[in-house]
Amino acid sequence: MVKVGGGLLAFPGHLDAVLAALADAASTSRVLIVPGGGPFADAVRAVDRELTLSDDAAHWMAVLAMDQYAHLLVSRLSSAGLASDAAEIAVELDQGRLPVLAPSRWLRDADPLPHSWDVTSDSIAAWVAGEVGARRLVLVKPPGAGDQAVDPYFHRALPPEMASSHVVAADQIDVLRRCLTV
């Protein structure tokens, strides 16, 4: 499972290289993409700073930002299909497509995480990984991101049975490819 950080939108060349690596990996193994929130979530943060949204409003608006990015990612991957829950992920995989999760409906139904800015798409990806039984989670961050660049709640959301999790900067495509084939 791979979370594609929304910050990659500021680096279109790196985003395209990451998506190409994911499409390649999906041709030989089962891959699920969970989108970040990127500038869509940043817009929510800006409104929150200006208007002081409730924690619930900010949380759900930021989750909807992930849905927006999911649509963008699907539009850039010819082999991808949008999924909104575990059943739709399974359908996309069974049809040989690369599922990209638009998580708002699933998260709204389950509501498994605190409503706080301590919870970002990193923690959401960790929760999803547990729900789908992923053995590995790779978080792809913008170029130059450190290997500890995760949200404060991430390690609590990460399923204890997960074999491995990795943070990879988008300018490290070789590292990403290795993480996808291990």
Side-chain angles (χ1 to χ4, degrees):
M1 193 176 110
V2 180
K3 181 233 160 182
V4 178
L8 270 68
L9 285 171
F11 305 92
H14 290 297
L15 174 62
D16 289 341
V18 165
L19 294 179
L22 294 176
D24 287 347
S27 69
T28 59
S29 59
R30 296 165 70 88
V31 176
L32 166 63
I33 296 175
V34 175
F40 307 109
D42 290 343
V44 176
R45 284 185 184 89
V47 169
D48 187 25
R49 280 192 300 275
E50 190 67 30
L51 300 177
T52 314
L53 299 170
S54 70
D55 289 342
D56 289 342
H59 176 76
W60 294 120
M61 291 168 69
V63 168
L64 287 167
M66 294 173 67
D67 282 9
Q68 290 178 304
Y69 191 31
H71 284 274
L72 184 150
L73 294 174
V74 168
S75 76
R76 297 186 69 80
L77 284 162
S78 62
S79 61
L82 200 64
S84 62
D85 59 24
E88 290 180 9
I89 291 166
V91 167
E92 291 297 325
L93 288 168
D94 289 346
Q95 293 178 353
R97 297 180 59 76
L98 173 54
V100 178
L101 181 64
S104 67
R105 190 177 79 198
W106 193 2
L107 288 169
R108 191 70 151 164
D109 290 345
D111 201 8
L113 299 166
H115 299 185
S116 158
W117 285 115
D118 284 349
V119 172
T120 68
S121 55
D122 293 343
S123 289
I124 291 169
W127 177 80
V128 169
E131 292 299 298
V132 300
R135 295 185 341 244
R136 176 179 44 244
L137 173 60
V138 179
L139 304 175
V140 182
K141 300 285 188 167
D147 63 358
Q148 298 302 314
V150 296
D151 71 48
Y153 195 82
F154 175 76
H155 293 289
R156 286 177 274 180
L158 197 62
E161 66 277 3
M162 175 159 289
S164 65
S165 66
H166 308 275
V167 177
V168 178
D171 56 347
Q172 299 176 328
I173 291 298
D174 291 338
V175 174
L176 174 61
R177 287 184 188 279
R178 279 195 302 276
C179 287
L180 295 172
T181 59
V182 174

